[in-house]
Amino acid sequence: WKDVSFTGIRLPGAFLISADRKDGKLVSIRVKSLIGGALTLQSPGYPELILRRTGKREVVTVPAHIALRPSETVILTPPA
């Protein structure tokens, strides 16, 4: 699908994931941890993503291994 979005899909480990795609390209992925923990995120076609969390910005290599605190939300976007 060229344009698609979804919100609040629950993943194993008590994570909620939302994502947007426009014109066939990733716009953003948002992950919220309900109880804290780690996850591995794949995003085909994107070897790197920008991860943003509470005032921090870092480049992560995909597959991205992300540890989150309880109630923490991170946002991943493609590099500019």
Side-chain angles (χ1 to χ4, degrees), residues 16-33:
L16 299 177
I17 188 165
S18 304
D20 294 297
R21 183 170 149 156
K22 194 94 158 158
D23 295 323
K25 296 179 184 172
L26 175 66
V27 174
S28 67
I29 301 169
R30 179 183 303 260
V31 180
K32 178 177 183 175
S33 173

Side-chain angles (χ1 to χ4, degrees), residues 6-80:
F6 58 87
T7 304
I9 293 177
R10 190 173 182 126
L11 301 177
F15 297 99
L16 299 177
I17 188 165
S18 304
D20 294 297
R21 183 170 149 156
K22 194 94 158 158
D23 295 323
K25 296 179 184 172
L26 175 66
V27 174
S28 67
I29 301 169
R30 179 183 303 260
V31 180
K32 178 177 183 175
S33 173
L34 300 176
I35 61 171
L39 66 92
T40 300
L41 182 85
Q42 289 277 14
S43 187
Y46 295 91
E48 293 182 333
L49 293 170
I50 306 299
L51 183 142
R52 291 178 174 85
R53 67 169 89 211
T54 317
K56 295 182 182 176
R57 177 187 179 278
E58 63 183 288
V59 176
V60 294
T61 302
V62 175
H65 305 286
I66 305 166
L68 292 103
R69 296 182 307 275
S71 299
E72 183 178 21
T73 298
V74 295
I75 299 171
L76 297 110
T77 56

